[in-house]
Amino acid sequence: MYHVYVALLPSGPTAGFGRSPRYDWLYMNSKGPTDLAVLTAPIPLSMAEAASREALRAVLSRPRPWGRPCGFAKASGRAHSAVRRGLRALGERGSIMLARPQLLRASDYDQGEASRVLPDEGLVNECTRAMAGRVLLDEEALEVLFHAGLGGLDQAVRLTAAMSLSGLARLLPGVGITKYGGMICNRCGSTGPFVSTACARCGRDKCAICMNCRSMGVSRECVPVYIVNEPRVIQVQECTVAEGGFPIIPHVLTEAQKRAYGELVDWHDHGANREALVWAVCGAGKTEVSFGAIAAALRSGRRVAYAAPRRDVVAELAPRIQSAFPGVPCAVFHGGSTQRDYGACITVLTTHQAMRFHSRFDLVILDEADAFPYYGSEALATALERTLVMGGRMVIMTATPSRGHLARVRVGSLPCVRISARHHGRPLPVPVVVETGGRSMGSAVAELARVSLAAAAPLFVFVPSRSRAPELSRELSPALPGRRVEWVHSGDPERSGKRESFASGRCDVLVTTSVMERGITVDGADVIVAEADWEAVFDYRSLVQMAGRAGRTSAHPAGRVWFVCSEANSAILTAIGMIREMNDDAKARGLLCPTSDSRST
């Protein structure tokens, strides 16, 4: 619980809130003579922050006749009335207002008392370094200080208060009240959903919890969140790598990768834009292309984050990045990870874990920007953007840019680095639209499946819903005698086993939802997207990703893709157009080899 107060500093009036107004008054007076007026009894943090804004507006609303003592007393009275009105507007009817402002005068400042309770300034700075560049709930902040040996519980509370008062950290409620009366999570930036529950911490019947970032620890109205500034003095000797010594890439880059690698380094060193888009076809190997820009940042003593939406991608990428930069401190943040070094020079993390950082990184690489749960999440986008220092740069890597990104590329406001050819130098399989006409979906898919299976090609069959996976599988099994047909979706407990069975060739046809649209390569696979015109599920991005399962290997670089539908819609046409555009770009750049695979679309 927090008190709202107004204060008259040597630099002018201000308003704030704190657990102990007297402690805050002592700290302010240690920097210069300060009068302070306490306006409220202890109230929940979200209300205290909102009320302090009303108090500040009141004391700044008139010219400055700050003649002591009457000037400050009158201004405090105005603030007191403004806070009362503001809290009533928020629905607070309890007796939380003091009858009148309680004044603490600068003339009453006791140097002896201050020396007993106030922390040393060097200790406050050391605390800031321990928590730098991070967003921490109250318990997390106190735990960091305790484990760093910077004080017990009482001392840690005073240290976090001193950091906030000195401007080294921002103290906010986990879930705050906006100036328009709405709610916002100050950790993830989400504007909902929120759930109000009874709270043992503040004792209220309704205390809002952010459901968007609940898995990261409960952010609620009465829980403080500390946003700690990152000192711009970085330990360069820990983050600097030798010129020419990095990165170590275990295989030779293709011509397309080499060009993109150089373009990205040039953008990092000389580009005027803070963002760059890496548009790479599925299976082109975009991860290694970013290593040059990462090395350039590390050579300058800067910190780098490599972010991806999915935990399994982060777990797979982390060893590759660590191998490419041996000797450089590298941390891994995902649910259940143990390598959580907040001082590392390279941080590999899920986009959810970005909520733990603030103004920390000079370069952020965002991989799979089109993937769930990042795509479409305002909270995750805000959290990732917030991790950048002022002047920091971001690389956005995707196989399917959003329409907004493409519009910015066309007008020249977003540099675009293209990797339009796979390692084998063959064009991407262009999907063929197959309209069912009067046939059932099952019979249309079975007819195409026979073509694939006759060529000994394993077959993905994508469906738009979980219920359709077993349904279509049952339809295909009798239509494909002697062939093993399996189905899978995100809720299938045997998902991993079926995936392995398909990849190893023990399964001929895998009917699946979009759960298999990424992260799996099956040699020689063909692809059917059934009901591809189901717009609620299949947008152009998912269609491109599904088509990208075909033609990924050198042994079978062509593959076949069919979009089966009642009628081609805009998503289908956009996906096909995007694939053709990348093939045309690869051809124009001279990145394609003559085809020799007999299979074609």
Side-chain angles (χ1 to χ4, degrees), residues 257-334:
Q257 287 175 311
K258 289 178 183 177
R259 293 186 188 183
Y261 184 103
E263 289 176 29
L264 207 54
V265 171
D266 185 64
W267 162 81
H268 177 273
D269 292 341
H270 308 294
N273 301 81
R274 67 183 297 273
E275 290 183 341
L277 175 69
V278 176
W279 182 3
V281 299
C282 296
K286 59 185 179 297
T287 300
E288 286 75 12
V289 165
S290 68
F291 287 176
I294 292 173
L298 294 174
R299 290 190 189 105
S300 302
R302 298 187 173 99
R303 290 194 175 99
V304 178
Y306 195 108
R310 298 183 300 150
R311 171 181 171 175
D312 58 339
V313 173
V314 169
E316 185 268 331
L317 285 175
R320 291 165 57 186
I321 294 173
Q322 289 174 321
S323 297
F325 298 94
V328 178
C330 184
V332 183
F333 284 79
H334 61 69

Side-chain angles (χ1 to χ4, degrees), residues 179-190:
K179 62 181 179 180
Y180 303 111
M183 286 186 168
I184 185 170
C185 178
N186 287 309
R187 178 171 62 177
C188 71
S190 171

Side-chain angles (χ1 to χ4, degrees), residues 48-392:
E49 191 231 357
S52 70
R53 294 197 299 265
E54 296 300 317
L56 182 61
R57 187 178 295 111
V59 297
L60 296 178
S61 62
R62 297 185 185 179
R64 180 181 172 177
W66 293 103
R68 290 190 178 124
C70 62
F72 181 58
K74 289 181 179 178
S76 300
R78 290 200 306 273
H80 187 264
S81 298
V83 168
R84 185 190 300 274
R85 290 192 300 271
L87 291 175
R88 284 178 177 171
L90 294 174
E92 180 56 55
R93 294 289 185 266
S95 56
I96 58 174
M97 296 298 299
L98 298 179
R100 62 180 61 84
Q102 300 300 302
L103 300 181
L104 297 171
R105 297 291 188 182
S107 56
D108 297 328
Y109 174 64
D110 184 348
Q111 181 66 47
E113 180 186 5
S115 64
R116 289 193 300 273
V117 301
L118 297 182
D120 179 80
E121 187 172 346
L123 185 59
V124 174
N125 291 332
E126 189 60 35
C127 292
T128 305
R129 281 189 285 271
M131 299 163 60
R134 296 170 64 181
V135 179
L136 303 109
L137 297 175
D138 190 35
E139 293 84 354
E140 293 172 334
L142 300 182
E143 184 180 4
V144 168
L145 299 184
F146 177 76
H147 286 296
L150 296 171
L153 182 60
D154 290 343
Q155 179 72 351
V157 169
R158 292 175 180 176
L159 286 167
T160 53
M163 291 167 58
S164 302
L165 291 167
S166 60
L168 297 173
R170 285 188 70 195
L171 166 62
L172 295 168
V175 175
I177 302 170
T178 70
K179 62 181 179 180
Y180 303 111
M183 286 186 168
I184 185 170
C185 178
N186 287 309
R187 178 171 62 177
C188 71
S190 171
T191 53
F194 301 103
V195 173
S196 294
T197 64
C199 179
R201 183 181 180 119
C202 65
R204 293 189 298 162
D205 293 334
K206 293 183 178 181
C207 182
I209 296 173
C210 176
M211 303 303 292
N212 200 61
C213 62
R214 190 177 182 182
S215 62
M216 307 282 293
V218 178
S219 174
R220 63 192 313 154
E221 284 188 81
C222 62
V223 172
V225 165
Y226 294 93
I227 300 176
V228 187
N229 299 335
E230 168 69 15
R232 283 293 77 210
V233 180
I234 300 175
Q235 296 181 0
V236 176
Q237 69 276 13
E238 292 186 6
C239 291
T240 302
V241 298
E243 182 72 39
F246 297 94
I248 297 173
I249 301 176
H251 54 78
V252 178
L253 297 180
T254 66
E255 184 60 31
Q257 287 175 311
K258 289 178 183 177
R259 293 186 188 183
Y261 184 103
E263 289 176 29
L264 207 54
V265 171
D266 185 64
W267 162 81
H268 177 273
D269 292 341
H270 308 294
N273 301 81
R274 67 183 297 273
E275 290 183 341
L277 175 69
V278 176
W279 182 3
V281 299
C282 296
K286 59 185 179 297
T287 300
E288 286 75 12
V289 165
S290 68
F291 287 176
I294 292 173
L298 294 174
R299 290 190 189 105
S300 302
R302 298 187 173 99
R303 290 194 175 99
V304 178
Y306 195 108
R310 298 183 300 150
R311 171 181 171 175
D312 58 339
V313 173
V314 169
E316 185 268 331
L317 285 175
R320 291 165 57 186
I321 294 173
Q322 289 174 321
S323 297
F325 298 94
V328 178
C330 184
V332 183
F333 284 79
H334 61 69
S337 64
T338 56
Q339 298 174 263
R340 298 196 171 191
D341 177 8
Y342 284 93
C345 301
I346 303 176
T347 301
V348 189
L349 73 166
T350 60
T351 49
H352 269 92
Q353 294 291 329
M355 296 176 187
R356 299 188 184 278
F357 298 92
H358 186 276
S359 299
R360 179 71 172 179
F361 304 112
D362 299 89
L363 175 65
V364 170
I365 311 293
L366 171 60
D367 201 355
E368 294 195 351
D370 56 317
F372 177 85
Y374 180 82
Y375 178 66
S377 171
E378 180 183 354
L380 292 181
T382 300
L384 196 64
E385 182 74 23
R386 198 172 56 180
T387 66
L388 281 170
V389 302
M390 185 176 295

Side-chain angles (χ1 to χ4, degrees), residues 520-539:
I520 180 172
T521 297
V522 178
D523 187 27
D526 287 347
V527 173
I528 295 175
V529 182
E531 300 174 270
D533 53 346
W534 194 325
E535 296 182 351
V537 177
F538 294 146
D539 62 6

